[in-house]
Amino acid sequence: MNVGLFIPCYVDQFYPNVGIATLRLLESLDVKVIFPMEQTCCGQPMANSGFQRLSAGCDKNFIQNFADCDVVVGPSGSCVLHLKEHLHSSEQPEEAARLRGNVYELCEFLTDVLKVDALPKARFPHRVGLHTSCHGQRGLGLSSMSELVAPKFSKPEHLLRLVDGLDLVPLTHPDECCGFGGTFCVFEEALSSKMGKDRVNDHLRHGAEVITGGDMSCLMQLEGVLRRQKSSVRVMHIAEILTSGN
Amino acid sequence: MNTASPKHAKNAEAFLRDEENTDWHNETLWFVRSKRDRAAQSLPEWEELREQASQIKAHALSKLDDYLIQLEENARKNGIIVHWAANADEHNQIVLDIMRKHKATKIVKSKSMLTEECHLNPFLIKQGIEVIDTDLGERIIQLRNEPPSHIVMPAIHLKKKHIGDLFHLHLGTDAGADDPQYLTEAARIHLRQKFLLADLAITGVNFAIAETGGFVVCTNEGNADLGAHLAKVHIACMGIEKVIPKAEHLGVFLRLLARSATGQAVTTYSSHFRKPAPGQEMHLVLVDNGRTRQLASPDFRNSLKCIRCGACMNTCPVYRRSGGHSYHTAVAGPIGSILAPNIDMKEYADLPFASTLCGSCTNVCPVKIDIHQQLYKWRQVLGEAGVVEPAKKVGMSGMDVLFSRPWLYRFAGRAGRWLMQTFPTLANKASLNPWAIHRDMPKPPEQSFRDWYAQQNKKTNG
């Protein structure tokens, strides 16, 4: 299986450690990974702002980069969801459709494709709060949703429970939105900040030392609030925690 | 340029200035959402019910013309006078004409979001007619001269102290009194007089049944019944999407409606009206006001399934923290943000953006409207139509240029990180970067992932 590593633009630029952890995690599970060097952005910022038509360049670039890959794996539920729902090409419609069906969020790939049920080296003796990102949860179905009458499950939680010493804290609102929302965080700044603050407080109230999740964009929002509060609580992408003992 | 101002963002910012009040509003609505969860979880067949309701509505919408004609025929057979209104003005005129015919000057009205949508109250008041909203919450906001902030709990934004002061001013209750029992009693006495003196009663319609020609009105206070039974004339006003094919479908909707709205098993009063009582007159006004336009659009047709339970508002993290008035439309919240641009695209262009597209609204919707996906689609329509803020348009065109060119993206990334490292205060300057008003920017790393990866490969291969 030829696995292409998709590192979203903001992870590439601001959180290279998340990319490194993702790569190492996959390699530690004997997955051969290639990183196409000319990839940029999934196109979601434009599409969510009402300019899906302006993401054609991104789509074309993405398809060119990942054409040789059987599957694509990325450490971001939000970007992966965008690709799954909206990757489009009028020139290569079949290739776009093939990639739409073969792009995975990291946790989804680990649990559903690799069926990981042990991470012998992983050790992280801290109290951890899991921020469940909306696009991963409700869009990709990575975990059950509090609104639905359905059995409870969580793919990220399943993985975190494989980590030695990790203490997962319960939250009052397990699946409330963090308020990032792409350009929402700028155009609705006051609301977005308040949502971020409330989200952080839920984790702090339950004694989290680290907030983790599958989307660095949500975590960047929470980190922004924590840093402003000069809090010692850190954010870490789930890939960083899953590789913590390596 | 023909662009809308971001009213929602400004209104939300104003609402958020009183953080304590925002927290209270948020928690109050979350309490209702939690009640809804308990009610839903108590029915193992909940998801099945939602699916059934969704399919019944989809079917009814697919043959809307047939069912409306059937409804009209059967209602007429029952002795109901049926009217058709293409828009809000026609609706208001029909109501006025009926009033004139009966020389009526006093109306009692039970909560109807349709009459809010049509701005019936100001229209009738201008004609010298007294219109009294009889739902307690509606009466409260009417006395405050405000629109409802929620479709089911219209005065949810007010605390009992506000209501105590308001009633002291208008109903002569004791100054400073805020005991709900006492205030409700005062409202009851006040409203009873209005009921007794009314010439005519207006109610909304929750469900109209094509098969029987009857309709159902759901309230928790019995105000619709009292109004309709005491007055000589009853006018029921409904959007054309409220029709369902058969009486047997009612059970599905009545079970879902109250549980989704307030967590109750059923509304206190689900009143079935079929024909006028002897000596009385009953009218049914069927209103389009943009609904056929919405029906004609495959992307937005689903929104017409809405049964107005308000669950999407209670769950919406944006609504809970910005209040219903921030949406500047009769129906607030996620569903309102789909319906409003259909009525006036420019005026309400900001509303589909007043969402993080988290999807919780879609999950709570008892008739399975893909609310957040329709908000996404509205954004595309508004982007195409050129009615979004100029800053957004410019920014997105810039991103297109940047992300379509890997070399430029690499260069800009390097330059951006260098800029942030060299001038860290600049990046966190609130006047230049709205993000930095309440949050700090991430610390820029020395190297991007891509640079690290290239270096590793060089090490391995070199």
Side-chain angles (χ1 to χ4, degrees):
Chain A
M1 184 166 51
N2 203 356
V3 177
L5 179 62
F6 160 52
I7 297 297
C9 53
Y10 69 99
V11 173
D12 176 41
Q13 293 299 330
F14 290 123
Y15 299 101
N17 287 342
V18 173
I20 296 168
T22 305
L23 179 66
R24 292 203 165 134
L25 179 61
L26 290 169
E27 284 177 346
S28 76
L29 295 162
D30 296 326
V31 180
K32 186 176 166 285
V33 185
I34 57 150
F35 175 75
M37 290 297 277
E38 301 292 292
Q39 59 177 291
T40 59
C41 164
C42 65
Q44 181 171 216
M46 290 91 108
N48 276 10
S49 301
F51 295 91
Q52 197 180 314
R53 66 197 154 91
L54 291 181
S55 66
C58 276
D59 286 3
K60 189 177 170 191
N61 189 54
F62 187 91
I63 293 167
Q64 269 172 3
N65 272 275
F66 290 97
D68 296 335
C69 303
D70 299 318
V71 301
V72 179
V73 180
S76 161
S78 189
C79 305
V80 166
L81 177 67
H82 172 75
L83 292 165
K84 262 191 189 173
E85 290 186 337
H86 302 295
L87 184 72
H88 171 81
S89 166
S90 44
E91 292 154 25
Q92 295 172 276
E94 281 161 21
E95 188 56 21
R98 186 187 71 81
L99 284 170
R100 278 201 303 274
N102 287 289
V103 56
Y104 291 92
E105 185 273 342
L106 178 64
C107 295
E108 181 182 35
F109 185 71
L110 296 181
T111 54
D112 294 359
V113 181
L114 299 184
K115 306 205 186 297
V116 170
D117 51 18
L119 290 165
K121 286 187 191 162
R123 182 168 160 70
F124 194 73
H126 296 284
R127 286 176 64 78
V128 174
L130 171 63
H131 172 68
T132 303
S133 294
C134 307
H135 287 181
Q137 184 195 31
R138 299 198 188 88
L140 297 173
L142 298 185
S143 54
S144 51
M145 309 156 211
S146 63
E147 303 91 4
L148 301 182
V149 177
K152 300 273 173 280
F153 72 96
S154 166
K155 293 174 192 181
E157 195 177 315
H158 161 75
L159 294 167
L160 288 172
R161 294 212 181 273
L162 304 176
V163 177
D164 186 31
L166 188 146
D167 182 8
L168 201 58
V169 302
L171 297 172
T172 308
H173 297 282
D175 57 7
E176 175 100 325
C177 175
C178 70
F180 175 70
T183 52
F184 179 87
C185 74
V186 174
F187 288 98
E188 290 261 13
E189 181 279 327
L191 249 172
S192 171
S193 298
K194 173 63 178 160
M195 288 168 73
K197 195 170 144 188
D198 289 352
R199 204 67 219 109
V200 160
N201 284 343
D202 195 357
H203 288 267
L204 298 185
R205 260 199 312 275
H206 292 87
E209 296 168 78
V210 173
I211 302 176
T212 192
D215 267 279
M216 243 7 257
S217 48
C218 308
L219 294 176
M220 180 168 85
Q221 155 90 339
L222 302 181
E223 184 187 43
V225 174
L226 287 166
R227 284 165 65 111
R228 179 59 58 94
Q229 292 175 353
K230 306 208 182 313
S231 169
S232 60
V233 172
R234 290 178 298 153
V235 301
M236 285 172 80
H237 189 273
I238 193 165
E240 295 179 284
I241 291 184
L242 299 180
T243 48
S244 54
N246 292 10
Chain B
M1 197 181 289
N2 204 16
T3 52
S5 64
K7 275 191 207 152
H8 182 271
K10 280 185 196 142
N11 296 344
E13 193 186 344
F15 188 78
L16 280 155
R17 251 171 242 145
D18 185 348
E19 193 171 353
E20 204 182 310
N21 184 60
T22 305
D23 289 337
W24 170 82
H25 190 264
N26 176 21
E27 280 153 25
T28 305
L29 288 157
W30 186 261
F31 174 72
V32 185
R33 153 79 209 265
S34 307
K35 276 177 71 184
R36 170 257 170 225
D37 289 354
R38 283 194 295 277
Q41 295 290 345
S42 71
L43 295 185
E45 70 274 29
W46 182 256
E47 299 301 333
E48 207 180 307
L49 272 177
R50 287 178 72 218
E51 184 57 34
Q52 277 182 18
S54 172
Q55 288 189 19
I56 296 167
K57 276 284 181 183
H59 170 77
L61 289 171
S62 75
K63 291 174 173 271
L64 191 62
D65 47 349
D66 291 346
Y67 285 123
L68 285 170
I69 290 166
Q70 200 187 341
L71 172 70
E72 180 185 32
E73 277 172 13
N74 289 328
R76 285 205 169 127
K77 275 184 210 155
N78 297 338
I80 300 173
I81 303 160
V82 180
H83 310 260
W84 296 87
N87 52 41
D89 289 345
E90 282 189 25
H91 163 265
N92 294 348
Q93 194 59 47
I94 288 166
V95 173
L96 182 67
D97 289 346
I98 300 169
M99 295 206 64
R100 292 247 163 95
K101 186 182 128 197
H102 290 276
K103 299 191 171 55
T105 56
K106 290 182 168 64
I107 286 189
V108 282
K109 185 157 72 74
S110 89
K111 208 170 67 180
S112 151
M113 289 314 296
L114 177 75
T115 57
E116 276 297 324
E117 177 189 316
C118 295
H119 305 290
L120 178 69
N121 284 16
F123 171 80
L124 290 179
I125 290 164
K126 221 184 260 174
Q127 311 290 331
I129 289 161
E130 184 190 76
V131 191
I132 304 293
D133 283 318
T134 57
D135 171 274
L136 180 56
E138 284 277 320
R139 184 66 188 135
I140 289 166
I141 54 159
Q142 194 182 24
L143 289 173
R144 283 172 64 95
N145 212 7
E146 275 179 4
S149 76
H150 187 289
I151 55 174
V152 176
M153 299 165 282
I156 196 70
H157 58 296
L158 299 172
K159 293 183 177 171
K160 43 186 190 180
K161 183 195 167 303
H162 296 130
I163 294 156
D165 293 347
L166 185 77
F167 280 12
H168 172 61
L169 193 67
H170 293 277
L171 308 184
T173 52
D174 297 339
D178 64 0
D179 173 45
Q181 181 86 34
Y182 169 73
L183 294 177
T184 311
E185 190 56 36
R188 179 176 289 144
I189 293 164
H190 159 73
L191 282 170
R192 188 137 300 187
Q193 285 173 333
K194 300 293 179 188
F195 277 121
L196 289 170
L197 294 174
D199 305 310
L200 192 147
I202 296 182
T203 69
V205 169
N206 288 88
F207 306 98
I209 305 111
E211 180 193 35
T212 64
F215 57 92
V216 176
V217 184
C218 302
T219 72
N220 273 328
E221 298 166 23
N223 51 316
D225 311 70
L226 195 55
H229 289 122
L230 284 174
K232 282 263 177 280
V233 184
H234 174 191
I235 308 176
C237 304
M238 62 177 268
I240 50 172
E241 81 284 12
K242 290 288 169 80
V243 67
I244 58 172
K246 290 175 186 238
E248 69 186 52
H249 297 142
L250 270 173
V252 174
F253 293 104
L254 291 176
R255 293 183 81 196
L256 285 166
L257 177 66
R259 286 182 171 89
S260 300
T262 57
Q264 292 164 269
V266 73
T267 43
T268 315
Y269 300 88
S270 300
S271 305
H272 300 240
F273 295 91
R274 181 125 176 213
K275 58 171 84 168
Q280 288 191 330
E281 202 171 283
M282 190 180 276
H283 296 259
L284 185 62
V285 189
L286 301 164
V287 186
D288 180 343
N289 205 32
R291 285 162 178 78
T292 45
R293 193 166 54 238
Q294 196 92 324
L295 186 70
S297 158
D299 281 346
F300 304 117
R301 180 176 303 151
N302 246 344
S303 62
L304 294 176
K305 289 179 183 171
C306 178
I307 57 171
R308 303 291 192 268
C309 68
C312 60
M313 301 171 191
N314 303 339
T315 202
C316 179
V318 170
Y319 177 95
R320 277 188 267 124
R321 291 175 183 83
S322 63
H325 289 154
S326 65
Y327 293 81
H328 58 95
T329 170
V331 180
I335 186 69
S337 301
I338 300 174
L339 301 174
N342 178 54
I343 293 173
D344 186 337
M345 202 195 276
K346 185 174 169 265
E347 174 65 17
Y348 303 115
D350 58 328
L351 296 183
F353 293 95
S355 165
T356 60
L357 305 181
C358 80
S360 186
C361 47
T362 300
N363 275 354
V364 293
C365 179
V367 289
K368 291 195 167 182
I369 302 171
D370 50 343
I371 301 177
H372 74 292
Q373 271 146 356
Q374 292 198 30
L375 291 172
Y376 176 86
K377 284 172 187 160
W378 259 123
R379 293 180 184 191
Q380 310 310 322
V381 173
L382 297 164
E384 283 289 321
V387 290
V388 299
E389 298 104 296
K392 207 173 265 179
K393 211 180 211 164
V394 172
M396 293 309 134
S397 302
M399 278 197 179
D400 173 34
V401 171
L402 180 69
F403 290 135
S404 305
R405 293 163 182 77
W407 62 270
L408 182 63
Y409 160 77
R410 279 198 300 274
F411 170 77
R414 231 169 260 156
R417 275 183 287 114
W418 178 82
L419 211 66
M420 282 174 70
Q421 277 157 357
T422 320
F423 306 103
T425 46
L426 209 64
N428 275 316
K429 210 172 161 73
S431 57
L432 297 174
N433 178 6
W435 172 276
I437 298 172
H438 293 103
R439 293 158 293 201
D440 284 358
M441 290 292 286
K443 264 198 193 121
E446 292 292 329
Q447 212 177 19
S448 69
F449 172 77
R450 161 178 342 246
D451 291 343
W452 172 87
Y453 188 84
Q455 211 173 47
Q456 293 297 306
N457 273 4
K458 220 173 176 180
K459 271 189 213 160
T460 325
N461 303 329

